[in-house]
Amino acid sequence: MAKTYIFGHKNPDTDAISSAIIMADFEKQTGNTEATPYRLGEVGAETQFALDYFKIDAPELLSDNLSDQKVILVDHNEFQQSADSIADAEIQHVVDHHRIANFETAAPLYYRAEPVGCTATILYKMYKERGFEISPEIAGLMISAIISDTLLFKSPTCTDEDVEAAEALKSIAKVDLEQYGLDFLKAGASTTDKSASELITMDAKSFNMGDNTTRIAQVNAVDIDEVFERKEELEKEMLTASAEEKYDLFVLVVTDILNSNSKILAVGSEKDKVGQAFDVELDNGTAFLPGVVSRKKQVVPQITDALS
Amino acid sequence: MAKTYIFGHKNPDTDAISSAIIMADFEKQTGNTEATPYRLGEVGAETQFALDYFKIDAPELLSDNLSDQKVILVDHNEFQQSADSIADAEIQHVVDHHRIANFETAAPLYYRAEPVGCTATILYKMYKERGFEISPEIAGLMISAIISDTLLFKSPTCTDEDVEAAEALKSIAKVDLEQYGLDFLKAGASTTDKSASELITMDAKSFNMGDNTTRIAQVNAVDIDEVFERKEELEKEMLTASAEEKYDLFVLVVTDILNSNSKILAVGSEKDKVGQAFDVELDNGTAFLPGVVSRKKQVVPQITDALS
């Protein structure tokens, strides 16, 4: 049996790493013994906390060329967020909770998308539908991914199904959602131990918007001001990355995970459009956005609209 | 509650029409009272046979602009096969069994694709998963769509799940699959009552292949030779359509539904590539392809490869 490569997006967050591991477990239960999880980037501190807590190894970093290889994508579909050789792969299956764009296959495939808060929630439903066993480790990863993507159920992307899944899984994983959740989120929200370059890359995604390429990075923090003390340095790194990668706009979203607000920093030729997007006046490239925590629901559509 | 527009592809076949009606019934059972089926073209003789047999009205022809309207796509996803204003619609859900290409949304959505022989087979599974009631009329449409898409289970696109669905549905619809199936397919395979222009348009789809636009029409027939008696006329209509719509290649696939073979006719600047695609020498633009009955599995990938 040929290997099936399973992975989430570049700059993987907890859902991208966890869903790859979970999907590989799911595939094995269907009889696909060669299902193997991979990752497309470094494991962040938040994800590492979950892997350590539930005693699971991180997936291997993908280095193989995927030309004509069997592939399953989780937590993403846009090719620019995927492996570099994705266009030549045989995509068998996608499980995702994002919009669909810049995605194409030559052959029919399985595709399961639902507008819920987290890919792991869809995977949870797939286990239930098939009557598959959910181990404590897999339950722990599902919970971690859900808490990460929904900021402990506070994000507007969070749905009843995400909450129901986490509630149903907590007894299998043997965790208290609130206490585990806060410890886990705080582990990923430490910013002082990271360079400016790390902060703008560790959870960054590119989006084609009209004729523009927009880069949007998000950083979780307990103290937003601590991050903005390094504004000059952050701006320089964002401008350098934009020059190298030809981004027309680079937006950094720093999210206060305790109070559910964000402050943004924008650079690039299209940065005036960001003020328009949120109906605010940028102050030296920055703006405070009360209640904004979701890149997917509260940032990407607004900037997409402003740019088109 | 705002209306939800539900429709299959342009030049609708039985799966496109039936799946729209079935999905509207499914949506109503979820509580979406404004779910309304539509069609993007004329109802063919085969489909009309099924509608008459099971006493169901054809959906209304779509004429509304879909800008900002809620939409569910069945049996297709590629925008060039969809409603003209599809790019401005809010696509809520897609249920399909084709490859994914030229499809994009601004927001997350439900998307369910499976590589089975027929969209109605996926819909059948969705009813079963939710425990929804399948009426004799809906069962009849599901069976008709499955028989149409799989040529009475003989196409290589036919899967065990298609056969299982039809077998499970036959007692609800109260039909003998073999006998109903042949009568139904023959109703759609009459070619002498159709003009050359009708033959090349009634089940035609466009595909973007590399830099080329390829049009592939399929005609079911009981007697292939009867169709090719009108070769000159067909070629002229295909060339006229190509000039008007800027097709680089137009291929007509005439399929013998009783013996499961096809004869093709190709016109256009890229027509030599068609011989390459099937490893045959075209004879005056034609070639006999033994065992070929599926456009999706035995024609589109082969021509796509030859053109790229």
Side-chain angles (χ1 to χ4, degrees), chain A residues 25-228:
Chain A
D25 177 78
F26 179 91
E27 280 291 296
K28 285 201 173 124
Q29 294 200 48
T30 69
N32 181 357
T33 53
E34 300 306 310
T36 313
Y38 284 89
R39 59 183 164 89
L40 299 190
E42 294 309 309
V43 175
E46 183 197 87
T47 309
Q48 193 61 55
F49 180 94
L51 293 172
D52 292 343
Y53 191 97
F54 295 104
K55 301 192 176 57
I56 304 165
D57 290 333
E60 203 180 310
L61 186 68
L62 181 73
S63 57
D64 297 355
N65 184 298
L66 297 176
S67 185
D68 298 326
Q69 298 296 320
K70 288 189 201 310
V71 159
I72 296 177
L73 304 185
V74 290
D75 197 35
H76 76 297
N77 68 84
E78 305 191 35
F79 280 3
Q80 78 279 5
Q81 298 169 3
S82 196
D84 294 336
S85 50
I86 191 64
D88 302 318
E90 281 179 26
I91 304 173
Q92 308 272 305
H93 202 145
V94 178
V95 182
D96 190 21
H97 67 128
H98 295 91
R99 72 162 187 169
I100 299 175
N102 192 22
F103 177 83
E104 181 172 318
T105 65
L109 73 162
Y110 288 94
Y111 199 114
R112 176 133 174 193
E114 300 189 14
V116 293
C118 178
T119 301
T121 300
I122 306 169
L123 291 167
Y124 167 75
K125 290 173 70 178
M126 289 165 61
Y127 274 75
K128 298 301 281 181
E129 286 163 9
R130 299 283 288 261
F132 286 173
E133 199 205 325
I134 301 176
S135 68
E137 293 74 25
I138 292 296
L141 288 180
M142 287 176 171
I143 285 174
S144 303
I146 294 169
I147 290 173
S148 172
D149 268 18
T150 66
L151 273 189
L152 204 39
F153 315 118
K154 282 191 226 138
S155 166
T157 58
C158 187
T159 68
D160 290 347
E161 293 193 296
D162 300 297
V163 179
E164 282 159 22
E167 287 290 340
L169 290 162
K170 68 182 182 190
S171 60
I172 305 175
K174 297 189 183 61
V175 291
D176 178 277
L177 291 180
E178 189 70 20
Q179 194 188 322
Y180 171 77
L182 273 180
D183 290 347
F184 161 76
L185 287 177
K186 280 185 188 162
S190 164
T191 58
T192 48
D193 56 348
K194 295 189 183 76
S195 69
S197 164
E198 282 173 311
L199 289 175
I200 66 153
T201 50
M202 61 187 192
D203 180 13
K205 291 183 182 178
S206 297
F207 299 89
N208 302 329
M209 296 177 176
D211 295 331
N212 300 292
T213 302
T214 301
R215 184 80 163 171
I216 307 182
Q218 186 166 24
V219 169
N220 284 349
V222 175
D223 182 353
I224 286 183
D225 293 337
E226 206 170 67
V227 178
F228 276 86

Side-chain angles (χ1 to χ4, degrees), chain A residues 239-290:
Chain A
L239 287 166
T240 305
S242 296
E244 274 170 15
E245 304 292 338
K246 301 203 195 321
Y247 305 136
D248 302 287
L249 177 63
F250 196 138
V251 181
L252 174 66
V253 182
V254 183
T255 301
D256 178 339
I257 58 165
L258 299 182
N259 300 301
S260 303
N261 299 310
S262 292
K263 187 169 174 179
I264 58 169
L265 173 61
V267 304
S269 57
E270 298 295 329
K271 104 178 166 181
D272 290 346
K273 298 279 170 63
V274 175
Q276 249 175 264
F278 299 103
D279 203 14
V280 294
E281 197 79 40
L282 289 189
D283 174 15
N284 269 316
T286 75
F288 183 73
L289 303 177

Side-chain angles (χ1 to χ4, degrees), chain B residues 132-199:
Chain B
F132 285 174
E133 199 203 324
I134 301 177
S135 68
E137 293 74 25
I138 292 295
L141 288 180
M142 288 177 171
I143 285 175
S144 303
I146 294 169
I147 291 173
S148 172
D149 269 17
T150 65
L151 272 189
L152 203 38
F153 315 118
K154 283 192 225 139
S155 167
T157 58
C158 186
T159 68
D160 290 346
E161 293 193 297
D162 300 298
V163 178
E164 282 159 24
E167 287 291 339
L169 290 162
K170 70 183 181 190
S171 61
I172 305 175
K174 297 190 183 65
V175 290
D176 176 278
L177 292 181
E178 189 70 22
Q179 195 189 326
Y180 171 76
L182 272 180
D183 290 347
F184 162 75
L185 286 178
K186 280 185 189 161
S190 162
T191 58
T192 48
D193 57 348
K194 295 186 183 78
S195 69
S197 163
E198 282 173 311
L199 289 175

Side-chain angles (χ1 to χ4, degrees), chain B residues 13 17 33 54 64 78 84-85 100 145 179 181 199 204 207 209 233 235 253-254 268-269 275 281 285-286 289:
Chain B
D13 58 7
I17 297 280
T33 52
F54 295 104
D64 296 354
E78 304 191 37
D84 293 336
S85 50
I100 299 175
Q179 195 189 326
L199 289 175
F207 300 89
M209 297 178 177
E233 204 190 339
E235 276 179 320
V253 182
V254 183
S269 58
E281 197 80 39
T286 75
L289 303 177

Side-chain angles (χ1 to χ4, degrees), chain B:
Chain B
M1 193 182 270
K3 185 190 275 192
T4 305
Y5 292 80
I6 305 177
F7 48 84
H9 52 79
K10 284 179 179 166
N11 294 321
D13 58 7
T14 299
D15 194 20
I17 297 280
S18 299
S19 289
I21 299 171
I22 298 164
M23 187 71 191
D25 177 77
F26 178 91
E27 281 291 295
K28 286 202 173 124
Q29 294 199 47
T30 69
N32 180 357
T33 52
E34 299 306 311
T36 313
Y38 284 89
R39 60 183 165 88
L40 299 189
E42 295 309 310
V43 175
E46 184 197 85
T47 309
Q48 193 61 54
F49 181 94
L51 293 172
D52 291 344
Y53 193 97
F54 295 104
K55 301 192 176 58
I56 303 164
D57 290 333
E60 203 181 311
L61 185 69
L62 180 74
S63 57
D64 296 354
N65 184 298
L66 298 176
S67 186
D68 297 324
Q69 298 296 320
K70 288 190 201 311
V71 158
I72 296 176
L73 304 186
V74 290
D75 197 35
H76 76 298
N77 67 84
E78 304 191 37
F79 281 2
Q80 79 279 4
Q81 298 168 4
S82 196
D84 293 336
S85 50
I86 191 64
D88 302 319
E90 281 180 27
I91 304 173
Q92 308 273 307
H93 201 146
V94 178
V95 182
D96 190 21
H97 67 128
H98 296 89
R99 71 162 186 168
I100 299 175
N102 191 22
F103 177 83
E104 182 172 317
T105 65
L109 73 163
Y110 288 94
Y111 199 114
R112 176 135 173 192
E114 300 189 16
V116 293
C118 178
T119 300
T121 300
I122 307 169
L123 291 166
Y124 167 74
K125 291 172 69 178
M126 290 165 60
Y127 274 75
K128 297 301 280 183
E129 287 163 8
R130 299 283 288 261
F132 285 174
E133 199 203 324
I134 301 177
S135 68
E137 293 74 25
I138 292 295
L141 288 180
M142 288 177 171
I143 285 175
S144 303
I146 294 169
I147 291 173
S148 172
D149 269 17
T150 65
L151 272 189
L152 203 38
F153 315 118
K154 283 192 225 139
S155 167
T157 58
C158 186
T159 68
D160 290 346
E161 293 193 297
D162 300 298
V163 178
E164 282 159 24
E167 287 291 339
L169 290 162
K170 70 183 181 190
S171 61
I172 305 175
K174 297 190 183 65
V175 290
D176 176 278
L177 292 181
E178 189 70 22
Q179 195 189 326
Y180 171 76
L182 272 180
D183 290 347
F184 162 75
L185 286 178
K186 280 185 189 161
S190 162
T191 58
T192 48
D193 57 348
K194 295 186 183 78
S195 69
S197 163
E198 282 173 311
L199 289 175
I200 68 154
T201 50
M202 61 187 190
D203 180 12
K205 291 183 180 177
S206 297
F207 300 89
N208 302 330
M209 297 178 177
D211 296 332
N212 299 292
T213 301
T214 301
R215 184 79 165 171
I216 307 182
Q218 187 166 25
V219 169
N220 284 348
V222 175
D223 183 354
I224 286 184
D225 293 338
E226 204 170 69
V227 177
F228 276 86
E229 278 169 17
R230 290 193 274 168
K231 177 168 176 281
E232 297 297 320
E233 204 190 339
L234 289 165
E235 276 179 320
K236 196 182 150 216
E237 291 292 345
M238 289 161 72
L239 287 167
T240 304
S242 297
E244 274 171 15
E245 303 292 337
K246 301 203 197 318
Y247 305 136
D248 301 288
L249 177 63
F250 197 138
V251 181
L252 174 67
V253 182
V254 183
T255 300
D256 178 338
I257 58 165
L258 299 182
N259 300 301
S260 302
N261 300 309
S262 290
K263 188 170 175 178
I264 58 169
L265 172 62
V267 304
S269 58
E270 298 296 328
K271 104 178 166 177
D272 290 345
K273 298 281 172 58
V274 176
Q276 249 175 264
F278 300 103
D279 202 16
V280 294
E281 197 80 39
L282 289 189
D283 174 16
N284 268 318
T286 75
F288 182 73
L289 303 177
V292 168
V293 297
S294 167
R295 169 169 49 194
K296 185 163 78 167
K297 210 151 187 165
Q298 297 173 298
V299 178
V300 172
Q302 287 73 6
I303 297 180
T304 302
D305 275 357
L307 284 177
S308 58

